[in-house]
Amino acid sequence: MADKDPVGLSNTQVKLQLTTRHPDISLPENTGPIIVNTNLRRYALSTLVNALLETEKPIPFEFLINGKYLRTSIDEYLTTNGISAETVLTVEYLRAIIPPIHLASFEHDDWISSVDILSSTSVAGQWGTTNVTKSLGQERLLSGSFDGLLRIWNMSSEVMAISPAASHGGHTSSVKAAKFASQTQAVSSSLDRTIRVWKYKEDADGFSASLSPQIELYGHKASVDCIATHHPSSRILSASADHCVGIWSTRKSDAPIAPAALIQQDKTRSAKRRKISTSTSTPQRGPLALLTSHNAPVSSTIFAPNDATVAYSTSWDHTLRTWDLPTASLVDTRTTSHALLSLTALPELNLIAVGTSARHITLIDPRASATTIAAMTLRGHSNAVVALARDPDSAYGLLSGSHDGTCRIWDVRSSRSDKDGMVGESIYTITRESVKGEPRRVGGEGVKVFGVCWDKEVGVVSAGEDKRLQINRGKGVVGSKDGG
């Protein structure tokens, strides 16, 4: 088999050593290098691998060389990278990406700012004191809306719970962020400058539930636009337009008393706006600390995936900052060329992904040893990138949501070199089903995406200006979880 030439007609040939990380599609161990013509592209290589595997039904494959997707002929790859055809080329194959198809859309009365998922595989689904896990089909979606309400949905598009109105402990303005903290707790933040912790309880029938206020958190002096939760340490992080990152506790006994002046200001604003007085029966607490180094609105914040005593934050001041939470101190600042609007981590790659006002995503190595700011730039969006989520199945996958009205799925191995360094291109674009068949909206008018979430069971969930939660799913969208 080593000298067999099963496919191709060109004169130039090269030896390929085919490998895979997936035992169910691996070739026999004694399979040596295979000689192929260099004019072959992905489809012909996929046909070849299927022939070698003797598959009953053809499996579409993708191919990686030196960690990058093959997007040209082998000959073009060799020429571009200055590799001799005499070299034995190691080629990794994996199942091809399945496009994320539209499954459902859940309609709201107003714009949707934020979305989160509770499932057996989500982080929050694995936190908490209950032994109840969400089986397939029993997942819950949490949405935060500009109407000031949180809603929890089942997978049949039915609303199981709605947060109470302002007069009964709810937010007095638009919800800007909402997350499950555990199986029995949710957290939200708002344009009303507060963060609220909610108790989530499902009824025995499995069709209805309740959201009841547990704590109101005061301390910010402007809209609170992003939150992150870490249930094991009972901590919340917040990013606010007042230039501060907040550190909070979900335990009433740990948290300081709320600043009286801010509570009074909130009551005054609420009375003027809605001519109501908000509930005062919910315990009110203040921050453990407010971190003040940013000099413009803070857009996003996260806990470091492998160390919950470390946090990252992004801001309109163009910086990514690293914080030590126990000492509430600034550890590191990385300055970019654009306002940074969103943030997530790719921990296996030691990278932080930040979405920018300049329509691209920058991958930053936050470690002190890093010699450059940008490890890679992901280009393709035509408006600000305001939401990011990592792929739950792959070390290399990333989901972005933009004001251009699309979500994009990226594999950081799908990249090329240009004058600006390494540049990545998206592998799929998800458009809004609400305007399917219509001409493309300039700048995403009416369909801006505000929030995204990616769950292993549910798929890609996005939400925004079209007042819809949209669910798309494709199996094994990016590929191997193995970061090595």
Side-chain angles (χ1 to χ4, degrees):
M1 181 179 289
D3 294 325
K4 190 177 180 182
D5 179 9
V7 185
L9 300 172
S10 76
N11 294 325
T12 307
Q13 296 182 321
V14 67
K15 288 184 178 180
L16 303 186
Q17 182 66 59
L18 295 167
T19 67
T20 187
R21 307 184 199 202
H22 304 279
D24 61 321
I25 53 172
S26 62
L27 293 167
E29 288 185 15
N30 62 349
T31 304
I34 297 167
I35 299 174
V36 301
N37 290 324
T38 57
N39 64 350
L40 298 194
R41 293 174 176 266
R42 187 197 68 82
Y43 181 78
L45 284 174
S46 185
T47 302
L48 168 60
V49 173
N50 274 281
L52 294 171
L53 289 172
E54 299 179 350
T55 53
E56 291 183 13
K57 185 178 180 181
I59 301 170
F61 290 109
E62 293 274 12
F63 298 88
L64 292 163
I65 306 177
N66 292 327
K68 309 296 181 188
Y69 278 102
L70 180 65
R71 291 290 182 248
T72 63
S73 68
I74 297 173
D75 186 58
E76 289 173 76
Y77 176 85
L78 294 174
T79 302
T80 301
N81 291 277
I83 300 172
S84 167
E86 300 299 318
T87 305
V88 177
L89 209 56
T90 299
V91 178
E92 179 185 349
Y93 62 94
L94 62 159
R95 286 181 177 85
I97 298 152
I98 297 174
I101 61 171
H102 176 250
L103 293 185
S105 293
F106 301 173
E107 294 192 24
H108 286 59
D109 296 329
D110 207 339
W111 294 357
I112 309 165
S113 60
S114 183
V115 62
D116 198 18
I117 300 169
L118 182 65
S119 74
S120 62
T121 57
S122 68
V123 173
Q126 297 170 51
W127 283 341
T129 55
T130 67
N131 294 318
V132 179
T133 57
K134 297 298 177 191
S135 57
L136 195 63
Q138 298 299 309
E139 300 86 3
R140 305 292 182 245
L141 304 185
L142 168 65
S143 62
S145 174
F146 277 64
D147 63 8
L149 300 176
L150 306 179
R151 292 172 177 82
I152 292 181
W153 307 74
N154 62 24
M155 293 303 293
S156 300
S157 76
E158 298 165 330
V159 177
M160 298 183 64
I162 301 177
S163 62
S167 56
H168 293 87
H171 284 293
T172 60
S173 189
S174 300
V175 173
K176 299 303 295 290
K179 287 192 177 297
F180 284 109
S182 71
Q183 297 175 42
T184 57
Q185 195 174 62
V187 181
S188 60
S189 67
S190 169
L191 191 64
D192 68 12
R193 310 179 182 187
T194 70
I195 299 161
R196 300 186 188 233
V197 181
W198 307 86
K199 181 180 180 181
Y200 173 60
K201 183 179 180 181
E202 293 192 7
D203 295 343
D205 61 14
F207 293 101
S208 54
S210 62
L211 278 169
S212 51
Q214 286 185 310
I215 314 174
E216 297 174 0
L217 299 173
Y218 291 84
H220 284 300
K221 297 179 180 178
S223 176
V224 187
D225 296 330
C226 177
I227 49 175
T229 62
H230 185 253
H231 186 75
S233 63
S234 303
R235 292 293 181 262
I236 301 168
L237 294 174
S238 59
S240 173
D242 66 5
H243 306 187
C244 294
V245 175
I247 309 173
W248 315 78
S249 175
T250 59
R251 290 197 295 252
K252 293 188 289 288
S253 58
D254 286 354
I257 298 299
L262 293 180
I263 294 175
Q264 186 56 45
Q265 288 174 17
D266 180 65
K267 289 180 178 178
T268 303
R269 282 196 308 273
S270 299
K272 288 180 179 177
R273 186 185 297 115
R274 303 197 180 202
K275 295 184 171 51
I276 57 172
S277 70
T278 56
S279 168
T280 56
S281 60
T282 307
Q284 296 163 328
R285 295 291 185 269
L288 298 173
L290 291 174
L291 311 177
T292 57
S293 292
H294 283 294
N295 53 41
V298 185
S299 56
S300 187
T301 185
I302 60 171
F303 290 93
N306 301 320
D307 184 356
T309 67
V310 175
Y312 301 107
S313 61
T314 51
S315 168
W316 287 78
D317 66 10
H318 300 191
T319 67
L320 167 71
R321 298 185 189 248
T322 305
W323 307 89
D324 179 69
L325 298 181
T327 60
S329 58
L330 180 65
V331 174
D332 184 67
T333 300
R334 300 296 168 99
T335 303
T336 69
S337 303
H338 307 282
L340 304 182
L341 310 180
S342 50
L343 171 67
T344 196
L346 301 174
E348 294 93 337
L349 306 180
N350 294 308
L351 293 173
I352 299 292
V354 295
T356 74
S357 60
R359 308 182 300 281
H360 61 259
I361 300 160
T362 301
L363 301 185
I364 299 173
D365 185 342
R367 294 174 296 179
S369 58
T371 55
T372 58
I373 298 296
M376 184 183 294
T377 304
L378 308 181
R379 300 188 185 279
H381 281 297
S382 59
N383 205 336
V385 182
V386 297
L388 292 169
R390 59 172 301 198
D391 183 347
D393 270 328
S394 171
Y396 306 98
L398 186 67
L399 168 68
S400 59
S402 168
H403 281 178
D404 66 11
T406 71
C407 294
R408 287 180 182 252
I409 292 174
W410 313 78
D411 185 324
V412 299
R413 296 169 295 191
S414 180
S415 61
R416 56 182 170 79
S417 297
D418 75 358
K419 59 183 175 58
D420 298 321
M422 294 301 295
V423 175
E425 299 171 342
S426 63
I427 53 177
Y428 279 111
T429 301
I430 300 172
T431 56
R432 304 306 290 170
E433 286 293 316
S434 58
V435 290
K436 188 174 183 179
E438 296 182 16
R440 182 170 171 269
R441 303 283 184 99
V442 177
E445 183 181 355
V447 290
K448 291 180 176 66
V449 175
F450 297 143
V452 298
C453 192
W454 198 348
D455 181 78
K456 188 172 184 177
E457 304 296 346
V458 176
V460 169
V461 181
S462 55
E465 200 176 14
D466 64 0
K467 307 177 185 179
R468 287 170 171 81
L469 278 185
Q470 180 172 311
I471 304 173
N472 293 77
R473 185 162 63 206
K475 186 175 177 60
V477 172
V478 169
S480 173
K481 182 72 179 175
D482 185 355

